[in-house]
Structure formats: structure tokens, C-alpha cells
Amino acid sequence: MLRVPDTLTVDGAEQYVVSIRLWPGGLSFAGHIPSVKGSFFYTEMAFDLATPYPQALKEAFFEHVFLGYPYKHVYIICVNRLYMLAPKPAFAEERKETLMSFVFSVPGHKVLHEPLPDLEAEMVYSLQEEVHAFCCRSLIRMQFIHAVTPVLLRWREQNLPCFRKQLYVSVHENIMDAACYDKGALTFLNSFDTGNAADLLYYILYIWKQTGMDQLEDRLLLFASASLYLELKETLEKYVNHVVQVESPRRAAETETTRVPLDIVSLFGCES
């Protein structure tokens, strides 16, 4: 069940910028009025995994009519590991169709892309065709983005003034996103399916070694639940001198299980 502020009405919807976050097990809904401090809200619901995702999404819209209000702008955030960051030259007009068809050939999926000028690259990813078509029919003034996109831009901005390399790691929905930056330059990016802390430790330390990071001077910044962070930190600090927990703003009523995801924090700035 999604819960939104009483002030969110169909008549006032055009004041709001919102996001509908499509993650493998459900849907998240967030938004704010850009000019009103403290107006940010976040809510989420899990889907019945026995129900096909497109059907579950349609049922969510039927049950929560505010999802289809005429907002000022709607971000459709796609959470999945089916993405590729393509260098701008490789995504030239005469090459992009071939590239997209070669890399993304999943039946029933539509290939989407969005430019990232600051990284001189294009984010290419896929989404179920039925989900894409439903969103296009049901919403106006909307924009599809991959969940990694706002996070990459946030991390780049944070790393620009730093003199040391930084490895950023975000854990969410059994996915680990990892990116390494050196003075704002992206030197590594990948996402991994993760089932337990042992998997996370293996991936993090392998990336650290593969990217040639200094265990005494460079930094590891980790966005995860408090319990997971503490579990990982105990082992990580044996190999990495600087392990830093990345916090996210949260409402007073939130718990560890309803933390605002990092992509939404990055997209909205997330007023507390």
C-alpha cells in the first residue's frame, strides 16, 4: 500500500516533480514540490512475485489513482542490471542501432538510451516492452532513466575536488553498483547480483585490486543498511584504510527497510 501526503491532490499535482521507481520486486513512489522545503515524500510497495510484473504494475495504478495524476514531471526509474555505459564515439548515429541490437537482444524488451554529457557517454538499457508501453499510455510529461544514471553523476560531482581515487558502492535489491573515480574521471563501472555479505566482500576487494587502488590512501564509500555496513566494515578494514558509510536522509517514521534509495536521493536531493 502506497501512502502519500494529504496535500497531494489531482488539482495540485502540477506542482510536483515525482518518480515512479520500477524495481524487480515492486514499485516506489517519491516526489516533492521543488519550491517548498520539507515537501519530499517517499513510499513503496512490494508486488506478489507470482504475478507478472506488467500486470502487477497495472493493478498498482488501478489501486492508487494518484500514480497517474498530471504531474509537472515524472521520472520513471528503471532498476535492473541490463545496462551499458557506451562511450560517445561508439554511440554515433550510424553505429547506435547496431550496438543496441547486438548488446540487448532480450525478447520482449525495448532498448532505451539517455545521454550523459558530463561523462561523454550514453546510458543504454532495456525495459520490458509491455511496461514501457503502459507507462507511455498512462503518464504525461515523463522521462525514463536508469537507476544508475543519477548516482553516477552524484558520485562524479563528489569526487571532482578529491585528490585520491574513490570506489563508490551502493547495495540495493540484491544488486551491488560499483564505480571508481579518479578526479572526476570514471575508471570503472559494473553491477553485480549479490546474495550475501561474502559475495559483496569478494566483489569489492576484487574491484579494489583490479583498479589499482591504494589501500592506505584511497577511499571506499559504501551505501548500505547500517547492519550490512557494520558486517562488511569489520573485514574490509583489514584491507582498506578508509571505509566510509554513506548516509541518506530519512523521514522520522522510516526504518532500515524503507530507506530512501540512493538513486532517488541523487535525483531529488531528498529534503528531510
Side-chain angles (χ1 to χ4, degrees):
M1 186 76 173
L2 298 174
R3 301 185 182 278
V4 297
D6 294 336
T7 52
L8 179 59
T9 64
V10 64
D11 294 331
E14 289 195 0
Q15 301 177 75
Y16 282 85
V17 175
V18 304
S19 73
I20 298 175
R21 185 176 187 269
L22 310 177
W23 44 279
L27 174 151
S28 304
F29 185 57
H32 70 156
I33 302 174
S35 60
V36 179
K37 186 176 181 180
S39 61
F40 174 79
F41 67 88
Y42 173 81
T43 183
E44 63 182 42
M45 66 182 295
F47 290 164
D48 180 353
L49 297 182
T51 303
Y53 196 94
Q55 181 182 335
L57 181 62
K58 293 173 186 178
E59 291 173 357
F61 268 71
F62 180 77
E63 182 181 357
H64 305 91
V65 294
F66 53 76
L67 290 174
Y69 283 175
Y71 294 105
K72 181 178 182 178
H73 193 78
V74 182
Y75 292 99
I76 307 296
I77 302 177
C78 307
V79 181
N80 61 51
R81 288 192 56 232
L82 296 176
Y83 73 88
M84 175 186 66
L85 192 65
K88 201 63 179 175
F91 206 76
E93 192 64 35
E94 66 274 11
R95 299 178 183 175
K96 68 180 184 180
E97 292 299 328
T98 302
L99 179 66
M100 290 191 297
S101 62
F102 177 75
V103 178
F104 297 97
S105 56
V106 181
H109 279 64
K110 182 176 180 62
V111 180
L112 305 174
H113 61 92
E114 56 185 294
L116 278 68
D118 290 343
L119 297 175
E120 298 183 356
E122 197 88 10
M123 176 62 75
V124 189
Y125 57 100
S126 71
L127 179 66
Q128 285 181 278
E129 288 182 350
E130 193 174 347
V131 172
H132 179 269
F134 175 75
C135 291
C136 290
R137 291 195 308 268
S138 305
L139 299 162
I140 61 173
R141 295 187 289 273
M142 67 165 186
Q143 175 185 353
F144 289 96
I145 65 171
H146 193 277
V148 171
T149 296
V151 177
L152 283 180
L153 299 177
R154 175 188 179 92
W155 285 342
R156 177 183 180 273
E157 183 179 348
Q158 292 175 346
N159 179 253
L160 271 172
C162 297
F163 293 101
R164 304 302 310 182
K165 295 179 184 177
Q166 291 180 315
L167 173 59
Y168 296 85
V169 173
S170 171
V171 183
H172 59 95
E173 290 95 23
N174 293 323
I175 297 173
M176 183 188 96
D177 300 319
C180 182
Y181 286 85
D182 185 1
K183 300 180 181 65
L186 179 64
T187 60
F188 177 91
L189 171 65
N190 208 342
S191 296
F192 306 84
D193 288 325
T194 59
N196 52 55
D199 289 341
L200 291 168
L201 288 168
Y202 172 80
Y203 290 133
I204 291 170
L205 293 175
Y206 178 80
I207 294 167
W208 191 272
K209 180 179 179 181
Q210 184 184 32
T211 53
M213 299 188 71
D214 188 302
Q215 69 183 95
L216 296 178
E217 299 296 336
D218 295 334
R219 292 178 177 269
L220 168 61
L221 294 95
L222 182 60
F223 183 91
S225 67
S227 58
L228 179 58
Y229 169 76
L230 291 173
E231 184 177 0
L232 295 174
K233 181 182 179 183
E234 183 177 355
T235 300
L236 287 171
E237 286 190 329
K238 297 176 182 177
Y239 305 95
V240 179
N241 197 37
H242 300 287
V243 180
V244 181
Q245 182 180 19
V246 179
E247 298 280 2
S248 71
R250 63 184 65 185
R251 298 170 300 162
E254 284 184 339
T255 68
E256 278 298 312
T257 58
T258 57
R259 294 173 5 119
V260 180
L262 186 57
D263 45 87
I264 294 179
V265 172
S266 304
L267 188 64
F268 286 98
C270 282
E271 311 155 59
S272 300

